[in-house]
Amino acid sequence: MESVHIAHVGEYIGQEVKVHGWLYNKRSSGAVLFLIVRDGTGFIQAVMAKGQVPDKDFAACDRLTQESSLVVRGTVRADRRAPGGYEITVTGVEPVSVAEEYPISLKEHGVDFLMDHRHLWLRTPRQVAIMRVRNEIVKAIRDFLDEREFVLVDAPILTPSACEGTTTLFETDYFDAKAYLTQSGQLYMEAAAMALGKVYCFGPTFRAEKSKTRRHLTEFWMVEPEMAWVDLDGDMGLQEDMVSYVVQRVLQRRAKELAALERDTSKLEKVRPPFPRISYDEAVETLRRHGVEFEWGNDFGGGDETILAEEFDRPVFVHGYPTACKAFYMKPDPDRPEVCLSADLLAPEGYGEIVGGGQRIDDPELLARRIEEHKLPAEAYKWYMDLRRYGSVPHSGFGLGIERTVAWICELEHVRETIPFARLLNRIYP
RNA sequence: UCCCUGGUAGCUCAAUGGUAGAGCGGCCGGCUGUUAACCGGUAGGUUGCAGGUUCGAGUCCUGCCCAGGGAGCCA
């Protein structure tokens, strides 16, 4: 008898199969027992009638609790009444482990309770759908970059100093010296781009900021491509191609999951290049037109980003930010040094900044001056300066936040559901 | 760090300053097609913690703790 995953039972109509899974729910009508079984690939109802299986088996199943593990044997049958289209007529059931009283019911729960039980919450249909979409997004990014001949170069997680020196870092002890958890692999990617041309890193990043919003995690994942010989324009071109590719791939391959999440896919269909590009100056004008009192030189807040994004039906680039409010390595616009060759990509529907990127300073003198102006330890950035001393070239890159992208594509309220085990300001359990 | 809201049964919630309750889950029983099944019964409480006001506090006051939402912060 063949063991099958629920997602594939449709290929076994009329055959007797084995399904290994967990009891999601159970209903009974006296002499008929309905077992709703899940195995991670799907859900299926197994129907068991008294008299058609040994009484001992029937009684044992009647006692099974929610989330008990079991092996069901039975014949696959197409049934219009079944939500998935198929049912199993049980010929035998082997309980594996009877679960204790399960904390998560099929009724509503509060966020705090669910987060405390994240290890079990992950088993519910909605969370399973989100994890599958996340997986598809990650795979699509890797496939896209691979097709374009980017090389995956892993950046270190333990770093000797801040990449930008400003934001708060998680400090750790490194054999009696201080080390920090990385907040970006970018500087290392710049080194790698000078070796390999087109590279990217993909890994966790850590920010010890006390941010308490639906868009922030203290530990999150970023993909950071970096390209030698590419300017800001080429950088934005790659971003719109990549984001469009990812969205279309998810629409194509995860339609079932998006439907389970009740995602309005018509809005995602529109995500195709080219994306609109507006300058920081135009963005400020737009905000003022909407009645926002905005001073030139400030960075945008969450509400500002939403107003800007709502002007368009696809993600929008905002480029040419004031040099003063961006990182030290951003290349100033040669025609207008008060703004820099940077660009943020704002997702539609209020999801805010999903990408930040730009062209890096390639002039050694200017970079040295910036490091000094930002009061960064020159010694720690000696290797970074070397990249400009030995064959400097124009180069650009960006960082895309995985969780914000997942939240947007899945249309979620909060990024805490986009990562298996979220790390938040007040949460490091489970 | 600041502002707002909340904390009552395992969970989700109700209770005019006057006997702490319901639904779900648990347990016991019933039902041969249930779809978050349904029906009957039953157990289940230091009302976040510490003070205070009052004849009487889940309810009002003060402090603290925790959570949620937002702000700030944030490639």
Side-chain angles (χ1 to χ4, degrees):
Chain A
M1 194 188 309
E2 203 154 345
S3 289
V4 302
H5 286 297
I6 292 170
H8 298 119
V9 288
E11 300 156 27
Y12 296 85
I13 294 177
Q15 297 178 49
E16 197 178 6
V17 298
K18 261 189 192 177
V19 170
H20 294 68
W22 293 262
L23 187 63
Y24 177 67
N25 194 13
K26 181 183 72 181
R27 289 183 281 265
S28 151
S29 185
V32 185
L33 206 54
F34 302 94
L35 306 173
I36 294 90
V37 178
R38 58 162 199 92
D39 73 345
T41 74
F43 294 74
I44 195 162
Q45 177 162 271
V47 186
M48 198 179 197
K50 206 167 194 168
Q52 288 172 9
V53 293
D55 282 356
K56 184 171 59 69
D57 284 18
F58 191 89
C61 281
D62 203 21
R63 280 194 302 273
L64 284 183
T65 51
Q66 189 188 353
E67 287 301 318
S68 291
S69 49
L70 73 173
V71 183
V72 174
R73 287 191 311 278
T75 311
V76 179
R77 186 164 46 72
D79 193 313
R80 246 175 304 149
R81 292 168 295 189
Y86 305 100
E87 277 192 352
I88 290 177
T89 303
V90 175
T91 52
V93 171
E94 183 193 319
V96 175
S97 171
V98 177
E100 292 175 32
E101 190 181 332
Y102 196 63
I104 299 183
S105 73
L106 303 180
K107 299 278 179 177
E108 273 178 53
H109 293 285
V111 172
D112 189 37
F113 176 82
L114 288 170
M115 287 303 285
D116 276 341
H117 296 83
R118 182 58 172 168
H119 50 298
L120 302 176
W121 187 23
L122 231 28
R123 301 182 183 191
T124 58
R126 187 180 163 79
Q127 300 307 314
V128 167
I130 295 168
M131 288 307 126
R132 285 188 181 275
V133 172
R134 180 188 171 103
N135 173 64
E136 192 65 47
I137 289 169
V138 171
K139 184 132 196 310
I141 289 169
R142 289 191 182 280
D143 287 348
F144 173 87
L145 292 170
D146 196 49
E147 278 164 25
R148 302 240 176 165
E149 301 182 300
F150 278 72
V151 179
L152 173 67
V153 177
D154 300 311
I157 290 181
L158 289 166
T159 58
S161 64
C163 288
E164 292 164 26
T166 50
T167 52
T168 325
L169 299 173
F170 285 107
E171 194 181 302
T172 186
D173 176 77
Y174 195 79
F175 306 112
D176 300 327
K178 281 181 183 172
Y180 305 89
L181 299 184
T182 181
Q183 60 173 347
S184 167
Q186 182 206 307
L187 270 47
Y188 296 99
M189 288 309 101
E190 290 184 53
M194 300 307 137
L196 293 141
K198 292 190 285 188
V199 299
Y200 74 103
C201 64
F202 197 120
T205 47
F206 307 86
R207 307 259 169 111
E209 288 137 13
K210 302 207 168 180
S211 299
K212 219 184 133 177
T213 81
R214 67 184 65 185
R215 303 185 307 278
H216 288 88
L217 296 165
T218 54
E219 178 183 317
F220 63 98
W221 288 67
M222 271 209 294
V223 58
E224 295 175 277
E226 192 73 29
M227 300 161 282
W229 306 103
V230 169
D231 61 9
L232 175 63
D233 193 57
D235 194 27
M236 289 192 280
L238 184 79
Q239 291 176 42
E240 65 191 0
D241 285 350
M242 185 172 99
V243 170
S244 302
Y245 177 85
V246 168
V247 169
Q248 298 307 319
R249 255 271 292 262
V250 174
L251 280 171
Q252 205 175 74
R253 299 197 186 177
R254 292 294 155 210
K256 206 178 77 181
E257 283 76 12
L258 292 177
L261 294 165
E262 296 176 309
R263 212 307 174 199
D264 178 359
T265 50
S266 68
K267 288 179 179 160
L268 295 178
E269 302 280 358
K270 293 175 186 149
V271 180
R272 294 175 186 278
F275 293 169
R277 300 180 182 190
I278 63 170
S279 68
Y280 175 88
D281 296 340
E282 290 168 316
V284 171
E285 251 175 66
T286 303
L287 289 176
R288 288 179 178 160
R289 207 165 51 237
H290 281 82
V292 180
E293 277 183 45
F294 194 92
E295 199 183 327
W296 195 99
N298 288 343
D299 208 347
F300 302 122
D304 303 329
E305 289 180 351
T306 303
I307 291 170
L308 295 172
E310 272 171 356
E311 298 275 296
F312 307 96
D313 63 355
R314 61 194 74 193
V316 54
F317 288 108
V318 180
H319 59 83
Y321 277 81
T323 308
C325 73
K326 285 288 175 188
F328 75 94
Y329 49 70
M330 285 293 187
K331 186 179 171 76
D333 187 329
D335 302 327
R336 236 185 114 194
E338 71 273 19
V339 300
C340 59
L341 300 175
S342 69
D344 286 357
L345 183 64
L346 308 181
E349 300 172 68
Y351 284 93
E353 181 186 342
I354 55 170
V355 179
Q359 194 168 336
R360 326 303 187 187
I361 292 173
D362 47 66
D363 175 55
E365 269 100 68
L366 178 59
L367 185 63
R369 201 157 70 236
R370 282 291 145 79
I371 288 171
E372 205 181 311
E373 282 166 7
H374 284 78
K375 299 188 170 61
L376 298 171
E379 191 57 26
Y381 288 88
K382 189 173 171 297
W383 70 266
Y384 189 61
M385 278 298 302
D386 278 355
L387 305 178
R388 278 74 181 170
R389 293 172 64 211
Y390 304 107
S392 191
V393 302
H395 62 290
S396 305
F398 63 90
L400 176 140
I402 298 301
E403 286 74 19
R404 287 185 182 181
T405 304
V406 176
W408 164 47
I409 292 177
C410 290
E411 202 177 0
L412 305 179
E413 279 294 305
H414 200 296
V415 289
R416 65 186 158 218
E417 280 184 73
T418 64
I419 186 165
F421 296 95
R423 295 296 175 243
L424 299 156
L425 179 54
N426 293 318
R427 178 172 295 280
I428 193 165
Y429 176 93

